[in-house]
Amino acid sequence: QVRLEESGGGLAQPGGSLRLSCAVSGGSVRDLDVGWFRQAPGKEREFLVAIRRTGTGGRSVYADSVKGRFVISRDNAKNTVFLQMNALRPEDTATYFCAADRSLILSSLSRGVNYDYWGQGAQVTVSS
């Protein structure tokens, strides 16, 4: 059973940075497609970025809204996927989720409904 747990959320000032972690158990991050999503109060869930499983090339796919500010990475030794968030803005305030699946096609990575496994979420607040 694949289990995901986010950590690293908290409070940041505008222009600051946070690094979120998605610790994976029950499976290897090398063999999973892993995505990051966020949901602000009263808003729909938003796709941020995903990284493909190593066997299919390990490519990353970014939403335009975070390209150039957020970076996804994978640490195989720690079995963890990270989301480095830079140049944070107040509108980045949301609950951030990691999600995983064993076998998504490339075009499915940006739709949360396609993922089988989800973490509980981590709160990120960007405020002065």
Side-chain angles (χ1 to χ4, degrees), residues 12 22 29 32-33 46 49-51 54 61 68 76 86 95 97 99-100 102 106 109 127:
C22 177
V29 295
L32 294 167
D33 300 314
E46 177 188 8
V49 60
I51 187 166
T54 302
V61 180
N76 294 332
N86 301 313
T95 301
F97 299 89
R102 294 189 183 276
L106 181 61
L109 292 172
S127 176

Side-chain angles (χ1 to χ4, degrees), residues 72-117:
I72 192 170
S73 63
R74 175 172 50 213
D75 188 325
N76 294 332
K78 296 182 178 181
N79 209 36
T80 299
V81 173
F82 300 96
L83 181 65
Q84 179 67 42
M85 304 185 295
N86 301 313
L88 286 166
R89 307 163 180 168
E91 53 263 43
D92 292 321
T93 296
T95 301
Y96 284 70
F97 299 89
C98 62
D101 198 276
R102 294 189 183 276
S103 59
L104 294 180
I105 61 175
L106 181 61
S107 60
S108 296
L109 292 172
S110 62
R111 293 185 56 82
V113 68
N114 294 321
Y115 290 80
D116 285 336
Y117 310 107

Side-chain angles (χ1 to χ4, degrees), residues 39-75:
Q39 189 164 22
K43 304 294 184 181
E44 294 184 354
R45 184 172 56 198
E46 177 188 8
F47 168 75
L48 301 175
V49 60
I51 187 166
R52 299 200 74 191
R53 57 197 185 273
T54 302
T56 62
R59 287 194 298 169
S60 299
V61 180
Y62 289 85
D64 290 340
S65 61
V66 301
K67 190 177 299 182
R69 296 194 300 126
F70 292 8
V71 179
I72 192 170
S73 63
R74 175 172 50 213
D75 188 325

